[in-house]
């Protein structure tokens, strides 16, 4: 509930306005209806003592105006006083209802935050030489978590990562996220290579769909990026299953979209046929950042319907940022991206956004040049 100081003066301003209007108009014109709106306005801006004070002020002003206009009889005086008293009591009841709803919303957000931490824990900020940052931006503030996911795991086969987006919304999507994360955490340690890891994920999702039955059995799927970093972090291997391709930012902020060499459908659709998804290998030189995100970023649109293009906009932001200081850390890169998506859409978040930045530190020599001091 908004209680800024400037807003708290609105109810008193309404009373003053009613007083001025009544004094400047003929005696047969009354501002009593306007006075009655002051306690109603206070219901959303003040606490009960303040609401009662505004109601008492309105009643006092009405008495004064009735005497000035010589309208202190039953119709012009007592009836208006009873109306203002009833409106004030109603405003207090409205305020209590709003406070109760606000408290329930706060509790729901707290529960959602705990659920998010349990279902989608934040990955470690560092695994060996790899620096990691993650952010989750829900489309609805009360939801906190939906069908997007990320997970980073240090395994006997190297650091492995999954970023995904399950079909659907609500509790069903959260259930699918839990199944995806559980399957990945087990298979990432056991599978010797990415094809075996993908096969294990497919099997887990098919079993989960069978248990849930109905539409989820036939149409449940997860778009996913499965990533593996080579020993020494000199290369990154990626399997893309119907997911927006990641962005590779080099030490100078140049962006390269890591498109798959062959398109493949999302995970969980093996019942419709067998597809082969290649493992694409890309260089990951010092100073590079691998930026993974869900379609809440790539499908964000402005008022003209133009989709957001991180490969074009983000390098500009990074170059501007580099002119005033050191290159941004992974968490700062994500913050820049989130803020820019918000500017592009005018603040209208259309879908959840899960973002993951994985950075390989480079030598000081590859840092961006600073802007010379004047």
């Amino acid at each position: 509930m908004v209680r800024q100081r400037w807003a708290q003066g609105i109810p008193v301003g309404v009373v003053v306005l009613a007083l001025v209007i009544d004094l400047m108009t003929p005696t047969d014109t009354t501002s009593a209806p306007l006075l009655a709106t002051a306690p109603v306005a206070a219901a959303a801006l003040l606490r009960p003592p303040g609401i009662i004070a505004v109601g008492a002020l309105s009643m006092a002003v009405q008495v004064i105006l009735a005497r000035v206009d010589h309208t202190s009889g039953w119709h012009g005086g007592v009836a208006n006083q009873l109306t203002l008293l009833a409106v004030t009591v109603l405003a207090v009841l409205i305020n209590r209802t709003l406070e109760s709803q606000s408290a329930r919303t706060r509790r729901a957000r707290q529960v959602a935050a705990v659920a998010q931490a349990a279902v989608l824990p934040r990955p470690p900020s560092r695994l060996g030489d790899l620096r990691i940052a993650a952010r989750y931006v829900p489309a609805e503030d009360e939801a906190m978590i939906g069908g997007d996911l990320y997970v980073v795991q240090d395994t006997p086969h190297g650091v492995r990562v999954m970023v995904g987006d399950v079909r659907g919304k609500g509790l069903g999507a959260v259930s699918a996220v839990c199944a995806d994360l559980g399957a990945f955490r087990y298979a990432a340690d056991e599978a010797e290579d990415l094809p075996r890891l993908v096969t294990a994920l497919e099997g887990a999702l098919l079993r989960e769909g069978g248990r849930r039955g109905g539409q989820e059995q036939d149409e449940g799927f997860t778009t996913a990026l499965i990533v593996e970093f080579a020993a020494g972090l000199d290369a990154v291997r990626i399997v893309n299953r119907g997911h927006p391709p990641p962005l590779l930012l080099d030490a100078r902020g140049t962006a390269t979209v890591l498109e798959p060499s062959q398109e493949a459908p999302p995970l969980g659709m093996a019942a419709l046929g067998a597809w082969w998804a290649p493992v694409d290998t890309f260089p990951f030189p010092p100073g590079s950042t691998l930026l993974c995100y869900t379609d809440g970023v790539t499908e964000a649109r402005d008022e003209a319907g133009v989709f957001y293009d991180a490969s074009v906009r983000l390098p500009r932001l990074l170059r501007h940022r580099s002119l005033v200081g050191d290159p941004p850390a992974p968490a700062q890169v994500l913050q820049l991206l989130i803020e820019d998506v918000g500017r592009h859409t005018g603040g209208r978040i259309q879908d959840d956004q899960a973002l993951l930045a994985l950075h390989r530190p480079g030598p000081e020599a590859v840092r961006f040049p600073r802007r010379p001091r004047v």
Side-chain angles (χ1 to χ4, degrees), residues 21-200:
I21 291 176
D22 198 280
L23 293 176
M24 295 180 63
T25 55
T27 56
D28 59 347
T29 301
T30 177
S31 63
L34 184 58
L35 284 172
T37 65
V40 177
L45 301 170
L46 303 174
R47 297 188 182 278
I51 298 171
I52 295 173
V54 170
L57 176 63
S58 299
M59 296 174 70
V61 170
Q62 197 278 328
V63 169
I64 295 173
L65 293 176
R67 290 184 178 179
V68 170
D69 295 339
H70 305 290
T71 56
S72 300
W74 169 259
H75 177 73
V78 178
N80 286 335
Q81 289 289 298
L82 291 175
T83 299
L84 289 172
L85 177 61
V87 170
T88 301
V89 173
L90 179 62
V92 172
L93 296 177
I94 292 174
N95 176 268
R96 293 293 84 197
T97 301
L98 292 175
E99 285 287 355
S100 177
Q101 293 176 346
S102 178
R104 286 197 296 269
T105 300
R106 288 193 297 270
R107 288 194 296 269
R109 288 181 60 84
Q110 292 171 353
V111 171
V114 173
Q116 183 186 40
V119 174
L120 197 64
R122 187 177 297 275
S125 60
R126 177 175 178 176
L127 285 176
D129 291 333
L130 192 66
R131 306 295 193 271
I132 305 165
R135 290 286 300 275
Y136 193 99
V137 183
E140 300 178 6
D141 289 339
E142 292 79 9
M144 294 297 291
I145 186 171
D148 293 8
L149 62 99
Y150 48 69
V151 57
V152 182
Q153 189 162 320
D154 191 10
T155 76
H157 314 286
V159 176
R160 287 177 168 175
V161 177
M162 179 178 176
V163 178
D165 184 1
V166 306
R167 175 193 172 277
K169 301 289 183 181
L171 293 178
V174 175
S175 175
V177 166
C178 292
D180 288 346
L181 293 176
F184 178 86
R185 291 193 179 282
Y186 174 78
D189 282 338
E190 299 298 324
E192 296 181 0
D193 53 31
L194 289 188
R196 289 187 176 90
L197 173 55
V198 172
T199 300

Side-chain angles (χ1 to χ4, degrees), residues 217-279:
Q217 183 174 3
D218 299 327
E219 301 180 14
F221 59 82
T222 300
T223 69
L225 282 176
I226 298 95
V227 179
E228 178 182 86
F229 289 92
L233 301 180
D234 58 337
V236 58
R237 294 182 282 270
I238 300 175
V239 173
N240 190 328
R241 297 297 301 267
H243 198 81
L247 202 63
L248 182 66
L249 302 169
D250 67 14
R252 298 191 178 277
T254 302
T256 303
V257 180
L258 304 185
E259 297 279 2
S261 58
Q262 180 176 324
E263 298 291 338
L267 297 172
M269 302 183 69
L272 303 179
W275 288 272
W276 177 76
V279 178

Side-chain angles (χ1 to χ4, degrees), residues 6 14 34 139 142-143 146 162 166 168 171 199 209 214 232 249 273 284 287 297 316 319 324 338 363:
W6 66 268
V14 172
L34 184 58
E142 292 79 9
M162 179 178 176
V166 306
L171 293 178
T199 300
L249 302 169
F284 193 58
V297 173
R316 297 174 185 170
R319 282 194 292 270
V324 295
I338 291 169

Side-chain angles (χ1 to χ4, degrees), residues 303-328:
E303 292 183 353
V306 177
F307 290 105
Y308 183 83
D309 190 346
S311 65
V312 174
R313 297 177 62 107
L314 190 57
R316 297 174 185 170
L317 294 173
L318 295 176
R319 282 194 292 270
H320 175 74
R321 172 65 175 79
S322 69
L323 293 175
V324 295
D326 293 332

